[in-house]
Amino acid sequence: MFKNIISKITIFLSAIVYIVFFYFLNKYSILPIKYRFILLGFIFLIILGFSLLIFKRKRATRAVKAFFIIMLFFISTFEALFMSYANTSIQTVEKINKKKDTERLKMSFVVLKESPLETMKDLENVEVSIANQMDKENINKVLKKYKKERKKDLNVEDAGDYLTLGQNLINGSTQAILLNENFRKMLDDTVGSFSDRTRVIKTYSINGNNKFKENKEVKKDQSFNVYISGIDTYGDLATVSRSDVNLIVSVNPKKGKILITSIPRDTYVNIAGLGEYANDKLTHAGLFGVETSIKTIEKLLDINIDYYAKVNFTTLTKLIDLLGGIEVENPVYFDTIDGKYTFPQGKIEMDGDMALSFSRERYHLAEGDIDRGKNQARVMTGIIRKLLSTETLLNFNSIAEVALDSVNTNMPYDKMIEMANGQIEEAKDWKIKSQALKGEDATGLPSYLMPTSNLFMMKADDDSINEIHDGILKNNN
């Protein structure tokens, strides 16, 4: 009698765990439907068989009962551990998605080092120069914060753009400025020793524009485009910054095709949303947020971009190492300018640090930034191939943890799990190709952000733009 009670309790507990497991797998679409129901059906049959044995054939031997009890114990343990493992991955992906909601900006009140102005109270007696024409929305957020804190409006004068702002401060035309910190490096490059000659009285952290919203209409097996914005620095990916790497990854799940398009950061473009005269380098579009970069590229190539991924290339080295390295096809021998690495022609196995150096080099390459963009696409190809392997999919937790630090994306969990399930079900041999936007080097073109500077640009060739556009359409159809 006592042994039958143990058997019945085992069946009852196993059934409860099974119901939770059934709900969990189906709620989060874990595993392709075929494999999901094979697994669930197998467990159900074992529980059903033991139940019939206990409730219908009460004379089952001790050995048979012990065998089923042990089996159900291990199955329930497996279910619990599987849910724990998968739930960790799901939570990590949700954290990555939550990071996409807003971009953070730092706005600072800046004065000369020798200025008698020391506190925010001192600013009440002067006019603070602002770049209202260029950055009105963010400036208004800071002015509202100031008014809420100090119960009064700040006296301001509009200097138009941040370059003029910095120049006016250095030459003494104004005593204080409100600076969007994303433009500090630009001032350091153009206004002699700007950071060395100035100091910050106070910095406000504000939320920038809402990021690009994902296309809810991307259905299963439908092709989609992902904008990869690479930041070649350490730091918080939520911070708005220039985009050093600009790739479009076009994915055709139905035909198993991926096309990686590289766009040089110096490509001369019209920055979307700032007017017809807002012409500048593509990399400068990132200073206005990832959505501005996306709209700028959509306008340039006449395509739709469905998702984005903002990547910190310096911490992405951790992911490459976690993957056990990547294989890259190098078309031409070169060494890096710092002499750290030599890359022979042909297939090369690379760890994270090698891949980063390979992606950064441009000075020892014939076409400079264009060749660098092609190499960045080759590294991305190596990463994608490794990510699509079955062993990598089974190590998803570790990969997701690294991605949490090095990737921001608005691609939802449902689309990620759909891609993973598709690969598990068919194990496609993806055909990955790449293409690069080409053009002519140019100087003297008007710069929206740095109008007095003679910047190096790449004026995209119209034929190349058309070829890029057609290549993406062909891949996705």
Side-chain angles (χ1 to χ4, degrees), residues 21 24-26 28-31 78-94 393-398 400-401 413 417:
F21 187 61
F24 182 83
L25 290 188
N26 286 285
Y28 294 107
S29 301
I30 296 173
L31 298 176
F78 163 78
E79 290 171 324
L81 290 174
F82 184 94
M83 286 188 286
S84 175
Y85 180 88
N87 191 55
T88 300
S89 299
I90 292 165
Q91 288 180 348
T92 303
V93 171
E94 288 176 347
L393 294 174
L394 296 175
N395 192 28
F396 187 77
N397 265 5
S398 299
E401 283 296 328
Y413 169 82
I417 199 69

Side-chain angles (χ1 to χ4, degrees), residues 299-447:
K299 182 179 179 182
L300 174 69
L301 301 179
D302 189 23
I303 61 170
N304 292 320
I305 294 174
D306 304 289
Y307 306 113
Y308 74 83
K310 197 172 181 181
V311 179
N312 187 326
F313 262 61
T314 48
T315 56
L316 202 62
T317 57
K318 296 179 184 176
L319 174 60
I320 294 173
D321 289 338
L322 182 64
L323 292 172
I326 59 174
E327 185 180 81
V328 174
E329 182 73 42
N330 181 32
V332 60
Y333 169 95
F334 70 92
D335 53 15
T336 56
I337 193 169
D338 59 5
K340 188 175 182 180
Y341 290 109
T342 295
F343 296 104
Q345 184 180 16
K347 292 182 179 180
I348 308 173
E349 291 291 333
M350 297 185 186
D351 61 15
D353 190 64
M354 285 180 68
L356 182 60
S357 291
F358 184 82
S359 299
R360 281 176 165 170
E361 183 59 42
R362 62 170 170 162
Y363 295 105
H364 287 180
L365 296 171
E367 292 190 277
D369 200 42
I370 292 176
D371 280 342
R372 174 169 62 177
K374 291 177 181 178
N375 282 346
Q376 289 163 353
R378 291 180 180 108
V379 168
M380 185 59 63
T381 298
I383 293 172
I384 291 172
R385 287 197 187 281
K386 266 296 180 76
L387 286 174
L388 290 173
S389 65
T390 304
E391 59 269 25
T392 298
L393 294 174
L394 296 175
N395 192 28
F396 187 77
N397 265 5
S398 299
I399 294 168
E401 283 296 328
V402 173
L404 183 60
D405 293 328
S406 56
V407 179
N408 276 10
T409 183
N410 68 338
M411 181 179 286
Y413 169 82
D414 289 347
K415 178 55 67 175
M416 294 184 194
I417 199 69
E418 176 193 310
M419 294 294 293
N421 284 343
Q423 188 62 18
I424 292 171
E425 189 169 18
E426 293 186 32
K428 294 176 183 173
D429 182 17
W430 288 79
K431 297 176 180 64
I432 305 177
K433 295 183 178 181
S434 63
Q435 60 179 358
L437 182 65
K438 297 179 180 179
E440 296 181 357
D441 296 346
T443 55
L445 295 172
S447 168

Side-chain angles (χ1 to χ4, degrees), residues 155-167:
N155 295 320
V156 297
E157 59 176 352
D158 185 21
D161 61 80
Y162 283 111
L163 183 58
T164 303
L165 222 62
Q167 291 170 336

Side-chain angles (χ1 to χ4, degrees), residues 11 19 88 168 223 301 430:
I11 292 170
I19 291 169
T88 300
N168 288 350
S223 297
L301 301 179
W430 288 79

Side-chain angles (χ1 to χ4, degrees), residues 301 435-439 460-469:
L301 301 179
Q435 60 179 358
L437 182 65
K438 297 179 180 179
D461 182 74
D462 287 340
D463 289 339
S464 182
I465 291 174
N466 291 332
E467 287 174 7
I468 294 293
H469 167 85

